[in-house]
Amino acid sequence: MADRNGLLTYAYILLYIALSSGQIFFNKWVLSSKEINFPYPLGLTLLHMVFSSVLCFILTKVFKVMKVEDGMTVEIYTTSVVPIGAMFAMTLWLGNTAYLYISVAFAQMLKAIMPVAVFVLGVAAGLEVMSCRMLLIMSVISIGVLVASYGEINISWIGVVYQMGGVVGEALRLIFMEILVKRKGLKLNPISVMYYVSPCSALCLFIPWIFLEKPRMETHSWNFQPLVLTLNSLCTFALNLSVFLVISHTSALTIRVAGVVKDWIVVLLSALLFADTKLTVINLFGYCIAIAGVAAYNNHKLKKEASQGSPDKSQPAESIPLTDSSTSNS
C-alpha cells in the first residue's frame, strides 16, 4: 500500500512538471505561431480566466466533487481577493505578452529574480526582516540574473520590461496572499483560490482587453481555432488541479523542488523546440548562479515556516504560484 501511495505521489509530481512545462510551450506556440496566428496575450489570458471560473463553479457547486473553503466574507473579498485577482491578471497578461518579444528560456531566467521582488516588497509591507543572510541571497540571485541577461544574444528590452512587470505583479500577488493568510487568518486550498480569484481576474483583464486588443482583433485577420484555444484553457485548469493534487499528497519542499526541475526542463527544451532560443555558456552560467540563490531562499523560507510550526500543506499562498504566468510559478 505504501509503495502504491509513493508511486501515486511521483505520478502527481511528474504530472505537475509535465503540465507546467507544457503550458509554457503551448502558450508560446499559440501566441507566436504563424499557423495559429493569435498574437493576443490579453485575449488568451482572459479566455483562461473565464474558462477557469466556469469549470470551478461546475466542479464545486454543480457536481460538488471539490470543496470550497469556508470563511470568505465581503470585507475579505474586497480588501484581499480583489487585489490578488488584479495582480494575478497583471502577472499573466504581462508574462504572456513577453513571449512575443523574448524567448521562453530567457523569460524563465528573468523569472529567477522573483524571490528578490517578493523579499523587497515583503520588507516594505512589514512581512519580512532584512538580514545579512537574506541580503547575500538576494545579491547572488540578482548577479546570476544579470550574468544570464548579459549572455543573451537577441535581447529585447521591451520583452524584458514586460517580463519584469509580470514578476512585480506576481510578487505583489504573493504578498497579498500572505496578508490574507497571516492577517486575515483565512487559509485556502488552490481550488478555493481559483474559485474566488478567477472571476475577479477575468473582470480585470476584460476592461483593458476592450480598449487594447478588441479593436485590433476586429480590424486584423486572425484564425479562431476553438479546439486549440479550448485545449489551451483546459491545460491551464489541469495545471491548477495538478498543483492541488501535489499539495495534498506531498509538501511545500516537494513542490518547490519540482518547480526548479521544471524551470531547467523549460530552459533546455525550449532551445530544441523554438528557433528564437539560442543558449550561450554565459546564459547557463548566470542561470546556475541564480538557481543556487533561489535554492538558498527556498531553504530559508522552509526553515522559517518549520520554526513557526506551520504545516506545509496549509501554505499554498507562499509555496505555490497558481497557474504559470509563463504560468508562473513557479
Side-chain angles (χ1 to χ4, degrees):
M1 188 67 179
D3 289 341
R4 186 168 175 269
N5 289 335
L7 287 172
L8 203 58
T9 299
Y10 282 119
Y12 289 145
I13 294 168
L14 289 173
L15 180 66
Y16 163 73
I17 292 173
L19 286 171
S20 188
S21 307
Q23 187 62 33
I24 292 171
F25 297 138
F26 203 168
N27 284 353
K28 171 73 173 178
W29 180 64
V30 169
L31 291 168
S32 61
S33 164
K34 289 185 173 65
E35 292 82 13
I36 302 299
N37 189 29
F38 193 82
Y40 303 108
L42 250 177
L44 183 66
T45 310
L46 174 59
L47 184 64
H48 289 170
M49 290 298 99
V50 171
F51 192 88
S52 178
S53 301
V54 173
L55 265 187
C56 276
F57 180 81
I58 291 172
L59 289 174
T60 58
K61 299 300 181 183
V62 179
F63 294 113
K64 297 182 179 179
V65 293
M66 291 180 178
K67 184 178 180 295
V68 175
E69 302 282 345
D70 298 324
M72 182 61 67
T73 64
V74 174
E75 187 267 334
I76 291 176
Y77 194 89
T78 52
T79 59
S80 295
V81 175
V82 170
I84 289 168
M87 291 304 101
F88 195 33
M90 173 181 164
T91 300
L92 297 173
W93 169 22
L94 297 180
N96 280 330
T97 303
Y99 289 144
L100 298 175
Y101 302 95
I102 59 177
S103 68
V104 168
F106 187 45
Q108 289 298 119
M109 290 177 187
L110 290 175
K111 279 202 296 183
I113 201 77
M114 180 71 70
V116 177
V118 173
F119 182 72
V120 170
L121 290 171
V123 169
L127 297 170
E128 297 282 359
V129 179
M130 182 63 76
S131 66
C132 292
R133 177 185 172 84
M134 288 306 293
L135 191 61
L136 177 62
I137 291 172
M138 297 303 113
S139 299
V140 169
I141 295 172
S142 301
I143 290 168
V145 172
L146 283 172
V147 171
S149 301
Y150 180 77
E152 181 67 11
I153 296 172
N154 301 314
I155 191 166
S156 165
W157 290 109
I158 296 175
V160 171
V161 169
Y162 274 121
Q163 187 61 38
M164 288 296 100
V167 166
V168 171
E170 176 67 358
L172 284 170
R173 182 185 76 87
L174 291 172
I175 292 297
F176 284 127
M177 288 286 283
E178 192 164 348
I179 290 171
L180 180 67
V181 171
K182 289 187 175 178
R183 294 185 183 170
K184 308 286 184 180
L186 186 63
K187 295 180 180 179
L188 302 174
N189 62 38
I191 293 301
S192 299
V193 172
M194 291 308 298
Y195 175 82
Y196 290 120
V197 169
S198 294
C200 179
S201 295
L203 182 61
C204 291
L205 289 165
F206 181 70
I207 295 168
W209 175 77
I210 289 175
F211 298 103
L212 298 177
E213 283 191 357
K214 186 173 178 288
R216 284 172 48 211
M217 293 176 78
E218 289 173 344
T219 55
H220 291 75
S221 62
W222 53 282
N223 299 327
F224 179 70
Q225 300 199 21
L227 181 61
V228 172
L229 295 176
T230 301
L231 218 98
N232 184 261
S233 300
L234 191 61
C235 283
T236 302
F237 188 78
L239 171 58
N240 291 320
L241 274 184
S242 72
V243 170
F244 177 76
L245 290 170
V246 172
I247 294 173
S248 302
H249 291 81
T250 60
S251 65
L253 174 61
T254 305
I255 196 74
R256 280 170 170 157
V257 171
V260 172
V261 172
K262 180 267 298 181
D263 289 341
W264 271 108
I265 289 172
V266 169
V267 167
L268 298 175
L269 270 183
S270 62
L272 301 174
L273 296 175
F274 298 105
D276 66 346
T277 302
K278 292 178 176 62
L279 296 176
T280 65
V281 174
I282 299 176
N283 268 150
L284 295 174
F285 178 66
Y287 191 50
C288 282
I289 295 172
I291 287 297
V294 171
Y297 172 78
N298 284 340
N299 183 56
H300 173 81
K301 290 292 288 183
L302 288 166
K303 283 183 178 178
K304 182 181 173 185
E305 288 167 12
S307 67
Q308 292 171 347
S310 300
D312 282 332
K313 292 176 187 179
S314 67
Q315 302 248 356
E318 292 184 64
S319 307
I320 317 298
L322 293 176
T323 307
D324 220 311
S325 62
S326 332
T327 35
S328 164
N329 121 67
S330 296

